[in-house]
Amino acid sequence: MLSRRAILTSTALAAPFILSHRLRAAPSRKIRLTLPWVAEGSNAVAFVAKANGYWADAGLDVEISRGYGSVAAAQAVGAGRFDFGLAAASAGIQQAAKGLPTVSIASLGYDATMTLAVLGDSPVRVPKDLDGKSIGGTVNSGEYPFLPAFAKASGLDLKTVKLVQVDPNVRQRILMERQVDAICGFAISIAPVFVANNKPVRFMPYSAYGLKFYNNAVLTRPEVLKSDPKLCEAIAKGLTKATRFCLLQPREAVSLFLKQVPEAALAVNGPKQIQTGLGIFAMTVIEPPAKQYGIGRVEEADYVRMTDLVMKYLGAPGDKPPVPADLFTNEFIGDVKLSPDEWTKAEAQVKEYHDLFR
């Protein structure tokens, strides 16, 4: 059996991280940005933006802080505790419905990777096979409220399933130890632990059954967008340039991340975890909107669909459906693109991660 340390290496990244500084003229303006979770491969793009000087070139000194979930990150941005934040698009929509509006200035991926996960040798091949079995999950995790919708769409009879509530830090372990038949979560965070520990895992993504949500949005407050569009442009373009770098130079991106967050390299198989998370992140970016219009593009029809789902499954008394067009802007999108050959290269580099979802 794997040791607890080997299995829970991802928790090592929860410690405060120290950001190295590029040798250049000191930027003049300090900006606060929150991640949706701990520093990991799924959000390494922020550290690449900082390491490559994309923000420093615009006169910005961006302080990156760990997050405590997408909902908390969206709340913190909406309340003004951070200038910008990365958070699942659904979290931004949910907070807007509660009267704490944020606006997305760029999309960093088109699939949040909400999923059910089973071990590679599990007899479960489709969600319906989990009838009468057990699923481990975390109530506060972003995918959990949509589990009933996923079950309905996939034919899974949730009434026959034993739902086991677990802490997110042990969710992967209970599946590895076969205490449950499946777990629900985000593949972009689950997969790195399994891959790094050579434990085969398979995913049954919500998106395969019509429940597709964007990955992280770059959020700020509407008043910031209105009063300081140049700042918003600098943050958005820094992240879209960094996304391009991650797509084309993933090994270098991992190296830059590890220099910025050196404690991640100390974890068992830490670099492999970062590589896997970054690879799945890149996979979620390679979609038609980014190919056609540029990295970071948001499609209004997608926000209409996501808003309907959020209101149906996360809406509470008193919530008001936000106007989808008010939740995002493409004002700063279009300059950062890949050539057809570069997209082909990027696609080849993420093939191994696509295989986890088949």
Side-chain angles (χ1 to χ4, degrees), residues 67-122:
Y68 295 88
S70 281
V71 170
Q75 290 173 340
V77 173
R81 294 194 294 275
F82 290 90
D83 304 298
F84 298 89
L86 308 187
S90 58
I93 296 170
Q94 183 182 13
Q95 294 314 302
K98 297 181 181 301
L100 195 67
T102 59
V103 58
S104 169
I105 58 174
S107 172
L108 301 181
Y110 299 95
D111 190 340
T113 72
M114 297 180 183
T115 192
L116 288 183
V118 297
L119 293 175
D121 61 359
S122 170

Side-chain angles (χ1 to χ4, degrees), residues 10 12-21 35 38-41 43-48 50-51 64-66 253-267 270-271 274:
S10 61
L13 305 188
F17 41 80
I18 302 171
L19 299 178
S20 63
H21 295 280
L35 302 175
V38 298
E40 60 180 15
N43 52 54
V45 63
F47 297 92
V48 172
K50 186 176 180 77
I64 304 172
S65 298
R66 67 150 291 174
V254 170
S255 178
L256 289 173
F257 174 88
L258 292 174
K259 289 178 181 177
Q260 296 280 294
V261 192
E263 61 271 28
L266 302 177
I274 303 306

Side-chain angles (χ1 to χ4, degrees), residues 136-216:
T138 303
V139 173
N140 293 330
S141 187
E143 88 296 330
Y144 195 87
F146 298 102
L147 184 57
F150 171 79
K152 182 178 180 180
S154 65
L156 170 62
D157 186 356
L158 210 54
K159 295 190 299 294
T160 71
V161 174
K162 180 182 178 181
L163 297 175
V164 181
Q165 304 299 330
V166 297
D167 184 275
N169 291 326
V170 300
R171 183 167 39 187
Q172 288 95 318
R173 178 165 66 87
I174 66 169
L175 179 59
M176 287 186 183
E177 295 181 353
R178 302 179 189 272
Q179 295 181 38
V180 293
D181 298 291
I183 57 174
C184 56
F186 291 86
I188 200 167
S189 293
I190 294 173
V193 177
F194 283 86
V195 172
N197 286 289
N198 297 313
K199 285 287 187 179
V201 64
R202 288 185 286 107
F203 296 111
M204 293 176 281
Y206 286 22
S207 59
Y209 296 89
L211 295 169
K212 188 174 183 179
F213 292 90
Y214 278 19
N215 194 18
N216 288 330

Side-chain angles (χ1 to χ4, degrees), residues 289-341:
K291 288 183 174 182
Q292 183 174 356
Y293 299 106
I295 294 172
R297 170 79 178 195
V298 170
E299 293 294 279
E300 183 172 357
D302 291 337
Y303 259 75
V304 170
R305 173 181 50 77
M306 290 189 293
T307 299
D308 288 344
L309 287 169
V310 167
M311 294 307 300
K312 182 175 181 179
Y313 293 102
L314 300 182
D319 288 358
K320 296 182 179 179
V323 177
D326 293 341
L327 298 172
F328 70 91
T329 179
N330 286 315
E331 182 179 354
F332 313 118
I333 305 305
D335 292 342
V336 183
K337 296 181 176 181
L338 275 68
S339 69
D341 286 345

Side-chain angles (χ1 to χ4, degrees), residues 21-29 48-62 234-235 238:
H21 295 280
R22 203 174 159 88
L23 295 176
R24 55 172 63 235
S28 59
R29 184 175 183 183
V48 172
K50 186 176 180 77
N52 280 346
Y54 299 143
W55 291 324
D57 289 341
L60 304 178
D61 180 10
V62 179
I235 294 296

